[in-house]
Amino acid sequence: MTTPVPDSVPNAVPKPVPSPERWEEARLADALRETPRGAFALSGAAVALLLMCWFAIYVFVFLPRGGVG
Amino acid sequence: MKSERDILRTELQWTLAVGAAAGVVSLAILWASLAHLINPPSNFETIDPAALHLSDEFTESNLGTRVEADGEVVTRIVATQFAFAPSCVLVPADRPVTMRLTSPDVIHGVLVTGTNVNTMIVPGYVSQVRATFRTTGDLLMPCHEYCGIGHSQMWAVVQVVPAERFKPDAQGRAACEKR
Ligand SMILES: [Cu+2]
């Protein structure tokens, strides 16, 4: 096989140039290595945004309106 | 490749992060409740929903706004399918107002736009909220609990006027100005 291995997955490059099946596996392993970080970034940003909106409404809208109990 | 152990650690870390977020929100609510006495309305008072017209309080002539002998401003409102009686209540600005509401038929609910006034109105019970209205003007008070086919037509107005325009009559009653 003469398919060139891309530079972006240097760690996944087995020597010599692998079969397409091995190459796909290596790419998958590489992607999975980054997955938890991406999941943390995405869910962290979503939850942080939600918290910020909640506190903004709580502090600037809810509390100034006062109690009704 | 990530091992089962790594995945478990990631999940634990995320659980801690979400737990901390929920904890911060709970603390904020607890702080408002204990330090500022900001709590949900929690009046517990029963009334016969089939005999409101015979009750001491929710008879037709006693509905609306009234300044009690002790100077307390009280509004009494009956929520029915599909209207509020009365459909407009007059209240003074910057003065504590007690709103008392009940229902003879099904569950309704109200909120007053731009305020924290928000409560369910359950037949058999008297809902009570206390509020001080800071802005003058007509505040919309819609029914916010689906109560039947006419639900979307069910709304009233809280007319907030400056203290000098709030002039109760000899019985202490005050009604909305012509709009
Ligand atoms: Cu209703």
Side-chain angles (χ1 to χ4, degrees), chain B residues 21-49:
Chain B
V24 168
V25 167
S26 304
L27 280 177
I29 293 171
L30 207 63
W31 170 78
S33 173
L34 297 177
H36 295 276
L37 302 178
I38 293 179
N39 298 301
S42 50
N43 189 49
F44 183 82
E45 199 179 325
T46 55
I47 191 167
D48 181 0

Side-chain angles (χ1 to χ4, degrees), chain B residues 64-76:
Chain B
T65 305
R66 185 177 176 182
V67 182
E68 302 292 332
D70 59 2
E72 188 186 15
V73 182
V74 181
T75 69
R76 294 181 178 86

Side-chain angles (χ1 to χ4, degrees), chain B residues 72-150:
Chain B
E72 188 186 15
V73 182
V74 181
T75 69
R76 294 181 178 86
I77 300 166
V78 171
T80 64
Q81 288 168 313
F82 299 99
F84 289 99
S87 62
C88 179
V89 289
L90 186 80
V91 297
D94 301 317
R95 190 167 157 188
V97 174
T98 302
M99 302 182 77
R100 288 170 62 76
L101 308 105
T102 194
S103 162
D105 42 44
V106 299
I107 297 178
H108 302 273
V110 285
L111 60 81
V112 180
T113 317
T115 73
N116 274 353
V117 173
N118 190 334
T119 187
M120 304 288 296
I121 307 169
V122 183
Y125 298 89
V126 178
S127 303
Q128 179 174 290
V129 287
R130 289 202 177 86
T132 303
F133 298 95
R134 302 288 179 198
T135 51
T136 56
D138 290 359
L139 307 179
L140 193 63
M141 186 177 84
C143 178
H144 70 28
E145 187 67 36
Y146 183 74
C147 54
I149 199 76

Side-chain angles (χ1 to χ4, degrees), chain A residues 25 28-29 32-34 36 39-40 43-44 47 51 54-55 58 61-69, chain B residues 1-2 10 13-14 21 24-25 28-29 31-32 37-41 114-117 128-131:
Chain A
E25 267 175 42
L28 182 65
L32 285 178
R33 201 166 292 130
E34 294 299 316
F40 258 122
S43 44
V47 171
L51 265 188
W54 189 89
F55 269 99
Y58 192 71
V61 177
F62 178 76
L63 290 181
R65 287 178 176 182
V68 293
Chain B
M1 196 70 93
K2 288 284 174 185
T10 307
Q13 285 169 344
W14 181 244
V24 168
V25 167
I29 293 171
W31 170 78
L37 302 178
I38 293 179
N39 298 301
T115 73
N116 274 353
V117 173
Q128 179 174 290
V129 287
R130 289 202 177 86

Side-chain angles (χ1 to χ4, degrees), chain B residues 90-94 135-137 159-167 177:
Chain B
L90 186 80
V91 297
D94 301 317
T135 51
T136 56
Q159 192 171 80
V160 188
V161 294
E164 64 272 16
R165 268 171 60 199
F166 182 75
K167 295 195 180 76
E177 299 165 358

